[in-house]
Each structure stands twice: as C-alpha cells, then as structure tokens.
Amino acid sequence: MTTTAASVGPQRCQERYAARLEAAQQARRDIASALESWGLSHLIEPAEQIVTELVANAVEHTNAATVGISVVRTGKEAVRIVVTDTSRTRPTPASPSSDDENGRGLFLVGALAHDWGSELVHGGKRVWAELRVPRNAP
C-alpha cells in the first residue's frame, strides 16, 4: 500500500487491486496496517468491516477491472475510507427479506460509519465512509 505521512497535509494510504473477491481481504489488511501505524488501532475493526462491504459491492455489482481504496486521516481521531470503481451506478441500500442472506452491507456501513455516501467522478464513482471517535469516548 502506498503511504504518505508528510509534515504538511493529511496522512494517506492508497492502493489498487484486481476486482476479485480477494481484494476485500487485501484491503482489510492494508487498512489495518495504516491505522495501526497512525496509532488508531481502535478504528481497525469498524474500518475493516466497512472496507470489506464497499470493496465486495464494487467487485460484485460492477464490471470494473480494478478497485481502488484509500484511507485518509482527517483528524486526530478520524479517517475517511474511499473505494473507487469505474461504474457510474451509485450504490443504494437493498430491501432484503428476513430470509435473504445478502443485501445488508450498506446498512452495516451506515451503522458503523459516522457518515457515508457516494459521488460520481471522472471515470466512475467513489463511495466513502467516515469514522470518528466520539468526543466523549474513553
């Protein structure tokens, strides 16, 4: 994973993976490594779950050849996770029945993230999620 930690500007890690299901595992590993190196190990578990869902959606629901991920430290206790692909279709939460085994990924992202969304960009879209530690957290 490519990492920048300059004294000016945010800390950032980014990588591009072949659009295969293994990409989610690689992304989890890379995100965890970045957060650990930044002293944000308490954000690893929710970040891993978020990046897993977003990468899996990009792999399963698009025809993209590659999937990009990045994590940017946006504050002392905050990061933004971004997953990019070449599809112009924005993700929308599904309406799974209680018997469905799939379709809850974006609900999980919404439950774990402070905020999340998507935006169309040149060449595709980016889906992002922000993680923050509440000010009153121990």
Side-chain angles (χ1 to χ4, degrees):
M1 182 169 233
T2 307
T3 305
T4 59
S7 58
V8 177
Q11 291 174 309
R12 171 188 307 268
C13 292
Q14 59 189 26
E15 191 59 74
R16 186 159 285 292
Y17 311 100
R20 296 189 302 251
L21 289 179
E22 300 82 35
Q25 182 179 10
Q26 294 169 315
R28 279 194 311 272
R29 215 174 20 246
D30 289 341
I31 293 272
S33 176
L35 294 176
E36 182 73 34
S37 73
W38 297 341
L40 298 174
S41 58
H42 50 286
L43 295 179
I44 290 174
E45 187 175 329
E48 286 177 327
Q49 292 193 3
I50 287 169
V51 79
T52 297
E53 293 299 333
L54 297 182
V55 169
N57 280 350
V59 170
E60 292 176 23
H61 300 293
T62 74
N63 291 322
T66 62
V67 175
I69 66 114
S70 68
V71 59
V72 178
R73 189 172 190 168
T74 57
K76 183 177 178 182
E77 296 286 326
V79 297
R80 183 174 210 186
I81 299 165
V82 178
V83 174
T84 58
D85 63 57
T86 55
S87 171
R88 303 283 295 167
T89 303
R90 295 170 87 163
T92 55
S95 299
S97 72
S98 59
D99 295 336
D100 288 338
E101 294 182 17
N102 297 314
R104 293 173 181 79
L106 292 176
F107 291 112
L108 178 62
V109 171
L112 293 172
H114 177 76
D115 197 10
W116 79 275
S118 66
E119 53 201 17
L120 298 179
V121 295
H122 179 71
K125 72 172 172 300
R126 77 173 54 111
V127 184
W128 54 268
E130 294 178 350
L131 281 175
R132 299 181 196 163
V133 174
R135 291 178 192 243
N136 58 358

